[in-house]
Amino acid sequence: SLHFLFHLPLIRFQISVSKSLSTFLYSTMSALCDVVPPGVVTGDDLIKLMDHARLNGYAIPAVNCTSSSTANSVMEAARKAGCPVIIQVSNGGGAYMCGKGLKTSESATIGSVALAMHVRSVAKYYGIPVVLHSDHCAKKLLPWFDGMLKADEEFFAKYGEPLFSSHMLDLSEEPDEENIAICVEYFKRMAPM
């Protein structure tokens, strides 16, 4: 009984903070929906979302997802919190999404693109902005990056926007000159999208 009484004010405080935060996020979210549409955001809408977060002093959580179930759970939690979210896929997460039974060098790409297509199909129904992002791609993982960019280009040709909102090319282990040279080539490829 004493233990319960000792923690009761703390619990009430946490609930109070949680309700205040929730109220803030819901009011921010309604204003955000006037700025960007629900669903996967890219291009100018992505910039507007990042500006809204910066100007309103909030962070957008990023969660690595390895299945449609984890992506759905993340979007459901974001909807309940009334906030945008970043759904990330890593090389390993993409391979996991593809399934361990498929033994191919392209499994990470196949799974990453499959997850992106799933999120694209359902995100708008959660009523929140979603950033679809690929996480840390080192030089040794460039074939994965190339496969996702190919999917971006194909999606862009059909729908006028890339499949993913953003990608992280992480060449920090490479010498500066090589890092910059590789990035320049990828920027040239991505610029038309």
Side-chain angles (χ1 to χ4, degrees):
S1 178
L2 183 60
H3 189 266
F4 176 76
L5 290 173
F6 178 76
H7 287 287
L8 187 58
L10 180 61
I11 292 169
R12 283 188 182 156
F13 174 74
Q14 288 174 340
I15 290 170
S16 172
V17 169
S18 177
K19 285 181 181 177
S20 297
L21 180 60
S22 179
T23 301
F24 166 76
L25 287 173
Y26 278 116
S27 66
T28 301
M29 188 63 188
S30 59
L32 178 58
C33 288
D34 295 336
V35 177
V36 296
V40 174
V41 293
T42 62
D44 290 341
D45 285 337
L46 178 58
I47 292 168
K48 289 176 190 174
L49 173 62
M50 294 301 170
D51 285 345
H52 188 274
R54 183 179 49 80
L55 293 171
N56 289 281
Y58 66 91
I60 302 173
V63 182
N64 278 336
C65 294
T66 58
S67 68
S68 59
S69 297
T70 56
N72 290 349
S73 296
V74 168
M75 290 184 285
E76 181 178 345
R79 181 187 66 206
K80 287 180 180 177
C83 68
V85 69
I86 300 170
I87 292 184
Q88 297 183 155
V89 63
S90 65
N91 180 273
Y96 185 87
M97 172 73 182
C98 188
K100 292 189 178 237
L102 187 56
K103 306 290 187 202
T104 173
S105 60
E106 296 178 350
S107 62
T109 300
I110 295 165
S112 296
V113 169
L115 183 67
M117 294 299 284
H118 170 74
V119 171
R120 277 270 178 188
S121 298
V122 301
K124 66 183 174 188
Y125 299 108
Y126 284 91
I128 55 162
V130 175
V131 177
L132 195 48
H133 177 72
S134 68
D135 202 9
H136 294 273
C137 179
K139 184 178 178 183
K140 67 183 179 185
L141 302 176
L142 286 177
W144 169 58
F145 197 79
D146 289 331
M148 289 185 294
L149 285 184
K150 181 178 180 214
D152 279 332
E153 291 162 339
E154 291 170 356
F155 198 88
F156 184 84
K158 287 182 182 178
Y159 302 105
E161 65 180 358
L163 177 61
F164 288 87
S165 306
S166 59
H167 296 285
M168 183 186 293
L169 184 55
D170 180 0
L171 302 175
S172 58
E173 294 178 353
E174 309 310 320
D176 289 346
E177 298 77 26
E178 183 179 6
N179 182 331
I180 292 167
I182 293 171
C183 288
V184 164
E185 291 306 310
Y186 279 110
F187 284 142
K188 287 178 186 175
R189 183 173 173 187
M190 293 185 290
M193 292 185 279

